[in-house]
Amino acid sequence: MRKKQILLALAGSITLACTGAWAAGGTKAYRWVDKDGVVHFGDTVPPEYSERAHQELNQQGVAVKEFPRQLSPEEAAAAQKAAAEEARRKQHDSFLLNTYTKVGDIEQLRDERIALINSQMELARGSIASTDQRLVALQNRLRGFRPYSNSPNARRVPDQLAEEVVRALSERRSMDTQLQQREQEKAEQLANFNDDIARYKELTSNR
């Protein structure tokens, strides 16, 4: 009974406050909460509270329009990022459901992609081995020239031989980079497919 009386009294105070705001000539009445948590009513919201959450009320004190708290630039950026991520997730969920009929379909595609990458890695390793053999042969040739030879009559390294060595070393570095890229791609593909399999199981668990 006591709780009901308090609620009735509160409702009455809201109605009186709103009626007062309307009677004062205001065309609208608002409700807002200050920094101390105190509720206020009036025909305008003070500027210092305009960015806080507040409500527009009718003459009976019932909220007819909500004004949410304005977000800071950081909060707005975070909210936008979260919304974009949610949209991306929903789009990918739709892709999974419309593309695959069972988990085995995803596993088959995964195995095909990984097999292709493995074959590319084997080709890269073969090229690296071939280039290493060429570098060994070039190093043996360099031993006949200064500064690699101890012979007093040794000539300086011919420009053509020096260029061959530089080109072979450059090719070797490039092949190393390509092999590392394939290894990273393989790891990423496996992680992505594992995520897709787990998500597909979640989406279809209740079907």
Side-chain angles (χ1 to χ4, degrees):
M1 185 64 181
R2 176 62 177 169
K3 183 177 180 181
K4 183 177 180 181
Q5 290 175 343
I6 293 174
L7 292 175
L8 289 173
L10 179 59
S13 64
I14 293 175
T15 302
L16 288 173
C18 294
T19 302
W22 284 83
T27 57
K28 295 180 180 179
Y30 298 94
R31 175 189 182 277
W32 69 94
V33 182
D34 65 19
K35 57 183 178 59
D36 298 318
V38 179
V39 178
H40 296 269
F41 300 89
D43 58 348
T44 59
V45 179
E48 63 268 29
Y49 296 112
S50 61
E51 295 184 356
R52 290 172 174 258
H54 55 281
Q55 301 170 319
E56 180 182 333
L57 310 176
N58 62 18
Q59 295 187 39
Q60 287 71 45
V62 178
V64 293
K65 189 173 183 180
E66 296 283 344
F67 296 87
R69 179 179 67 87
Q70 294 186 21
L71 302 178
S72 67
E74 293 78 12
E75 290 173 327
Q80 185 176 8
K81 181 179 179 181
E85 181 61 25
E86 178 65 13
R88 187 205 63 78
R89 187 188 64 78
K90 289 182 178 180
Q91 183 179 19
H92 191 66
D93 286 350
S94 177
F95 165 78
L96 291 175
L97 294 173
N98 293 326
T99 304
Y100 305 111
T101 59
K102 57 184 181 299
V103 172
D105 294 340
I106 308 178
E107 294 173 337
Q108 180 180 349
L109 181 58
R110 176 200 62 194
D111 294 343
E112 291 173 356
R113 294 276 180 86
I114 297 305
L116 177 60
I117 295 174
N118 284 337
S119 65
Q120 293 172 340
M121 291 171 64
E122 284 303 312
L123 288 174
R125 292 190 183 100
S127 297
I128 288 174
S130 177
T131 302
D132 285 344
Q133 291 178 356
R134 184 152 57 100
L135 282 169
V136 170
L138 289 171
Q139 289 172 354
N140 290 334
R141 291 172 58 188
L142 286 172
R143 291 192 179 97
F145 302 94
R146 295 197 312 266
Y148 308 102
S149 174
N150 294 325
S151 172
N153 298 322
R155 298 178 293 117
R156 72 178 182 84
V157 177
D159 291 343
Q160 183 177 358
L161 177 57
E163 291 174 359
E164 286 185 47
V165 172
V166 171
R167 186 164 53 250
L169 289 172
S170 177
E171 291 174 1
R172 181 64 167 78
R173 287 192 294 269
S174 177
M175 292 173 186
D176 275 341
T177 299
Q178 291 178 15
L179 183 58
Q180 291 172 4
Q181 290 174 343
R182 296 288 83 77
E183 290 174 343
Q184 181 178 353
E185 181 183 0
K186 179 180 178 179
E188 291 175 351
Q189 288 275 4
L190 284 171
N192 289 337
F193 275 110
N194 288 339
D195 289 343
D196 283 351
I197 290 171
R199 182 58 181 166
Y200 185 83
K201 288 180 178 179
E202 289 180 12
L203 294 171
T204 58
S205 61
N206 295 324
R207 286 188 170 187

